Amino acid sequence: MSVPLTLLGLLEREPSHGYDLKRDYDTFFSRGKPLPFGQVYATLGRLARDGKIVIGEVEPGVGPDRKRYVITERGATEVDDWLAEPVEAEPNLQTVLFTKVVLALMLDRPAAEYLDAQRATHLRRMTELTAIKRDGNLVDTLLADHGLFHLEADLHWIDTTIARLDALRTVVRR
């Protein structure tokens, strides 16, 4: 997730205070990992330094003055370019799970047991995501679907790998 580009996109929607940007980011994009205020303001500082945003209205606040940030044409162009660029298809050809399976086979460890434990972990997470889909709003549902589809693909890979463990063991122990 690109925090700077996401904040720029939120600013293109409307000029906002840092607090409002954090709230919107956390509402739509963080899902369990809130964006720290320090990161919000550090990112806004870099975006201002780079000419992608400017400080608009400044209002007195209880503490420091509240600055309303406004996207510049340069920032809006960057958002346009980012949105138009397809996300890199990440085939995860070298995942931690794959590495563990190969090392387990090389070291004559119970790779099938490790894969069974991973399957159980995936199934638990799928249960959690299914509950989010059932009880959540549309944003939560779509994010849960994304996670579920990836976990389903992982489960398919786990099953396929278990079926091929003997052949893989032969290849990696040569």
Side-chain angles (χ1 to χ4, degrees):
M1 172 70 85
S2 173
V3 172
L5 286 162
T6 304
L7 293 179
L8 277 175
L10 291 171
L11 285 170
E12 184 170 331
R13 182 185 59 167
E14 65 182 348
S16 300
H17 298 103
Y19 175 85
D20 297 326
L21 290 168
K22 179 197 173 355
R23 181 199 62 223
D24 289 348
Y25 185 97
D26 289 349
T27 298
F28 293 104
F29 307 111
S30 72
R31 293 302 179 256
K33 190 175 179 188
L35 188 61
F37 276 108
Q39 185 176 359
V40 171
Y41 290 105
T43 301
L44 291 171
R46 286 190 299 278
L47 291 170
R49 177 200 67 205
D50 296 342
K52 297 173 185 174
I53 63 171
V54 294
I55 297 171
E57 300 173 17
V58 177
E59 305 165 1
V62 175
D65 290 341
R66 291 184 46 148
K67 300 171 185 170
R68 186 177 304 272
Y69 297 90
V70 180
I71 194 167
T72 64
E73 180 134 352
R74 181 177 183 182
T77 298
E78 188 162 331
V79 170
D80 282 342
D81 292 346
W82 179 61
L83 291 175
E85 182 180 324
V87 174
E88 184 69 33
E90 298 178 20
N92 296 322
L93 290 179
Q94 192 63 24
T95 68
V96 173
L97 182 55
F98 176 80
T99 302
K100 285 183 169 190
V101 169
V102 170
L103 283 174
L105 293 171
M106 286 177 172
L107 301 172
D108 201 26
R109 303 265 173 77
E113 289 177 25
Y114 299 157
L115 287 167
D116 286 339
Q118 189 65 52
R119 178 188 293 109
T121 299
H122 273 51
L123 291 172
R124 277 192 299 277
R125 182 62 177 145
M126 290 174 85
T127 300
E128 294 167 2
L129 292 174
T130 301
I132 289 171
K133 278 182 62 165
R134 184 178 51 249
D135 303 330
N137 59 34
L138 181 59
V139 171
D140 292 335
T141 298
L142 290 171
L143 286 169
D145 279 341
H146 187 265
L148 284 165
F149 296 148
H150 282 271
L151 291 170
E152 287 172 5
D154 285 352
L155 287 175
H156 180 73
W157 180 85
I158 287 169
D159 291 339
T160 301
T161 302
I162 286 175
R164 296 175 176 168
L165 276 180
D166 289 337
L168 183 58
R169 180 180 291 108
T170 301
V171 170
V172 302
R173 295 197 70 199
R174 282 188 185 156

